Amino acid sequence: MMSSNDDTTEKKTNEEGKALKSATTKSNGNGTKEQKTLVIKPKRKVTFGWIAGMIILILIAVSFVMAPAIEALVGGNKSNEIVFGKYGKDDVKYTSNNYFYDQVQNYASQYKTSDGNGTQRLYQIWKSAYDSTVIFTAVNQMANKLHIIAVDDVVNRAIINSGTYNKDGKFDVDTFQKASAESKASVDRSIRRAIPYQTVISDVGSILSSDAEADYIAAMAADNRTFKYVSLDASLFPDQKASEYALMNKQLFYSMDLSVISVQTEDEAKAIASSISSGTKTFEEAATESSKDSYASAKGKVGTVFYYGILPNFKNADQATQFLSAKAGDVVGPFEGTNGWALYRLDSAPKAPDFTDTATLASVKAYLAYNNDPIITDYLSSQADQFASDAANGFEEAAAKANLDVNSVGATPLNISSSQYMNSFKTTDTKGLLASVSSDEATGKLLFTEPVGTIVKPIKNGASYLVVKIESDAKDENTSSYVKMFYNYLSGSQNQQDLSQAIFASDAFKDNFLTTFLKVILGNTTETAK
């Protein structure tokens, strides 16, 4: 699976989509300290931004310094094949000297000097190579349907122009003749299989758009508006109301320092628990060696966690009550989670909440806001309605009276989908709150259809509410001229990106990368280490 930061439809897998991670509730400006909570959170997405870099394929053979290590993972038998997925009728497979093989070598060379976790680096190498191969496979299927082939004359010219046999900036016959037959065959193979792919990608990227289309988009980029807004968030919820809720749900707000070890299976977790209890290994050693989460690099240490923050990690949340009776140093578990098994160690005894403490009350408010509890959303909704009414007589005056910060947003066009062709709230709204709600089509249109001077009805943003004033209309002729001048280039780049996104969203794409990587690549890594 390949994922993106752009707005796109994509395939997801349960195996790849979750990882144990620390989440932080940031200071709300009232001097409250940070809180940590354990949550099951999707892994960071791999973006489509690097796809443009695939357009020019690797045309020459390189010295693959990591080749021995890669081959050690998959075995010395060059006839071995590892199938990671399928596109249409073609397997996306790794085998000796095929495209996937070359891409693994290429990315291994790129990552050889990078620091960080070895397993993560290995995953990046194989995942990048896999994604590249999926696109290559799909595009070549298109080329085959169009009967695009690499004829010898074109291949020979490409070899000359590739620079592989250059000397002093020019193709050198002597260098070519001295090259080994194996090297020549490798270069020829790489170029020959790249030409159909490049032809399709080049054609997709060079489709010209009409002048009328360019004029239309340029006009959209020129029409802008400016805004002001305030945010009414959880920090405004009265301390007294927060304290009343917390006293009725006291258990949720106990805090403790934790360390964690997370693994895939119950047997693994039990074996680790046994080695710790027998003294064979310390908790820190086991976490560093065996844990599959992001805390492994910190010897398993998570830090201070609220009880409510632990609950999402349990398949049976009632088991979490064992934490409340545990002592500092106790190892509890293993417990089954939503994506594996975990052992925990209490690094401090559970601490009862102090509801006179500002930071604790801020945590209560954050909990209510995160869960979108009606207790807090109803309160903030009424406060937002009152502010909107007061703001009709002066936006800044009403904000000062309510002790709210006014956020100003510069000239912005209607750009609901955050098109690359023009500006958007993602760049003009430094606070980012209006940007987070403007992607909703109804909200986006409302902001650009109401008259200038309008105080827009409160907009819900999670548990918070935004009250927006439409300040003025504006023209951005510079961006408009830029769009018109470079529209064909931008459109071509978008066409290539759309093609890549369509490939990964296609029903023809069958993705089994993660399972194969864990079983074959990481499995072989473990065996090699033994």
Side-chain angles (χ1 to χ4, degrees):
M1 180 187 71
M2 182 174 185
S3 54
S4 168
N5 285 336
D6 300 318
D7 296 327
T8 181
T9 303
E10 57 196 23
K11 295 177 180 281
K12 298 180 180 178
T13 63
N14 290 332
E15 287 184 292
E16 191 170 14
K18 296 180 180 179
L20 197 60
K21 190 173 181 180
S22 170
T24 304
T25 300
K26 297 182 179 179
S27 170
N28 61 15
N30 294 331
T32 59
K33 66 181 181 180
E34 292 186 339
Q35 70 171 89
K36 286 185 179 178
T37 180
L38 282 176
V39 297
I40 297 297
K41 186 174 182 180
K43 288 183 179 180
R44 184 174 179 172
K45 293 182 175 180
V46 180
T47 71
F48 277 103
W50 57 269
I51 291 177
M54 295 183 191
I55 296 173
I56 300 177
L57 300 179
I58 307 302
L59 298 183
I60 61 174
V62 295
S63 176
F64 302 132
V65 296
M66 289 189 68
I70 298 297
E71 290 180 6
L73 294 175
V74 297
N77 185 353
K78 300 293 180 126
S79 64
N80 286 351
E81 292 185 357
I82 308 173
V83 178
F84 286 82
K86 197 178 188 71
Y87 196 92
K89 295 181 179 180
D90 294 330
D91 289 334
V92 181
K93 63 186 178 183
Y94 175 96
T95 189
S96 179
N97 293 323
N98 74 344
Y99 182 80
F100 198 164
Y101 176 93
D102 287 350
Q103 289 298 295
V104 169
Q105 310 305 316
N106 172 47
Y107 284 105
S109 180
Q110 291 182 31
Y111 281 106
K112 67 180 180 180
T113 57
S114 63
D115 297 324
N117 181 278
T119 300
Q120 183 180 19
R121 185 165 63 249
L122 195 64
Y123 173 86
Q124 290 171 333
I125 290 169
W126 283 87
K127 185 61 166 66
S128 298
Y130 171 71
D131 288 338
S132 176
T133 306
V134 171
I135 295 174
F136 180 81
T137 302
V139 171
N140 268 308
Q141 288 180 8
M142 296 173 62
N144 288 336
K145 288 181 180 179
L146 297 169
H147 304 291
I148 298 172
I149 61 173
V151 298
D152 290 342
D153 286 347
V154 174
V155 173
N156 290 338
R157 285 198 301 271
I159 290 173
I160 292 171
N161 294 330
S162 70
T164 307
Y165 305 108
N166 278 12
K167 183 177 181 180
D168 299 327
K170 295 180 181 180
F171 178 78
D172 183 66
V173 175
D174 188 51
T175 301
F176 174 78
Q177 291 177 340
K178 288 180 179 179
S180 68
E182 183 180 359
S183 173
K184 291 177 183 178
S186 175
V187 173
D188 183 274
R189 181 179 62 249
S190 296
I191 290 178
R192 193 173 295 276
R193 78 184 168 207
I195 287 173
Y197 171 93
Q198 288 179 302
T199 302
V200 173
I201 291 295
S202 178
D203 286 350
V204 169
S206 60
I207 298 172
L208 298 180
S209 302
S210 69
D211 290 340
E213 180 180 325
D215 290 342
Y216 177 77
I217 302 299
M220 288 182 63
D223 292 335
N224 286 237
R225 277 188 158 179
T226 64
F227 304 87
K228 288 183 178 178
Y229 71 89
V230 298
S231 174
L232 294 92
D233 60 28
S235 65
L236 301 178
F237 193 63
D239 288 351
Q240 180 62 34
K241 290 181 178 292
S243 181
E244 290 171 1
Y245 177 87
L247 287 169
M248 292 188 294
N249 300 274
K250 189 174 182 179
Q251 179 174 292
L252 291 172
F253 303 102
Y254 272 75
S255 62
M256 61 208 80
D257 288 342
L258 286 181
S259 293
V260 65
I261 299 172
S262 58
V263 293
Q264 292 292 318
T265 68
E266 182 179 12
D267 287 343
E268 287 180 275
K270 286 181 176 179
I272 293 170
S274 177
S275 68
I276 293 172
S277 63
S278 67
T280 305
K281 288 183 181 180
T282 66
F283 191 96
E284 288 81 2
E285 288 171 342
T288 302
E289 294 173 9
S290 304
S291 188
K292 305 301 182 185
D293 59 50
S294 59
Y295 301 109
S297 60
K299 299 180 180 180
K301 189 167 183 61
V302 176
T304 303
V305 182
F306 287 94
Y307 180 75
Y308 72 76
I310 300 169
L311 300 180
N313 296 301
F314 284 78
K315 189 171 183 178
N316 179 5
D318 291 340
Q319 292 179 326
T321 57
Q322 294 183 37
F323 286 77
L324 300 176
S325 58
K327 305 182 296 298
D330 284 355
V331 175
V332 292
F335 302 113
E336 186 176 8
T338 54
N339 194 41
W341 290 76
L343 283 169
Y344 298 88
R345 184 185 66 192
L346 275 79
D347 297 325
S348 69
K351 180 181 178 183
D354 175 8
F355 296 126
T356 64
D357 178 59
T358 302
T360 302
L361 289 175
S363 297
V364 176
K365 296 176 186 181
Y367 171 80
L368 291 171
Y370 178 79
N371 289 281
N372 224 358
D373 194 292
I375 292 174
I376 195 167
T377 54
D378 290 351
Y379 175 83
L380 293 175
S381 176
S382 66
Q383 293 295 303
D385 289 339
Q386 183 60 54
F387 177 84
S389 177
D390 295 343
N393 299 316
F395 196 85
E396 284 79 4
E397 292 79 1
K401 180 181 177 182
N403 197 28
L404 296 171
D405 293 331
V406 176
N407 302 291
S408 296
V409 179
T412 310
L414 175 59
N415 188 6
I416 294 172
S417 297
S418 296
S419 167
Q420 64 172 336
Y421 300 131
M422 63 188 80
N423 224 342
S424 72
F425 284 115
K426 288 183 178 180
T427 54
T428 60
D429 177 21
T430 55
K431 191 75 172 179
L433 301 178
L434 195 57
S436 67
V437 298
S438 61
S439 58
D440 173 71
E441 185 174 356
T443 300
K445 288 182 177 178
L446 182 68
L447 294 172
F448 285 88
T449 54
E450 291 293 313
V452 170
T454 298
I455 306 296
V456 179
K457 65 180 181 180
I459 302 168
K460 196 171 187 301
N461 181 29
S464 303
Y465 285 86
L466 305 182
V467 180
V468 183
K469 179 184 178 183
I470 302 171
E471 277 286 290
S472 65
D473 288 325
K475 286 286 184 181
D476 185 355
E477 299 295 350
N478 289 334
T479 301
S480 179
S481 297
Y482 168 82
V483 169
K484 193 169 183 179
M485 183 179 299
F486 294 101
Y487 186 75
N488 279 325
Y489 168 78
L490 295 171
S491 179
S493 176
Q494 184 67 55
N495 290 340
Q496 292 169 347
Q497 187 180 80
D498 289 347
L499 172 62
S500 298
Q501 293 177 2
I503 288 170
F504 284 96
S506 172
D507 290 336
F509 176 42
K510 308 301 180 186
D511 179 26
N512 197 35
F513 173 80
L514 186 66
T515 300
T516 306
F517 176 79
L518 292 174
K519 289 183 178 179
V520 180
I521 306 305
L522 285 189
N524 278 334
T525 302
T526 303
E527 293 301 319
T528 301
K530 291 179 181 179

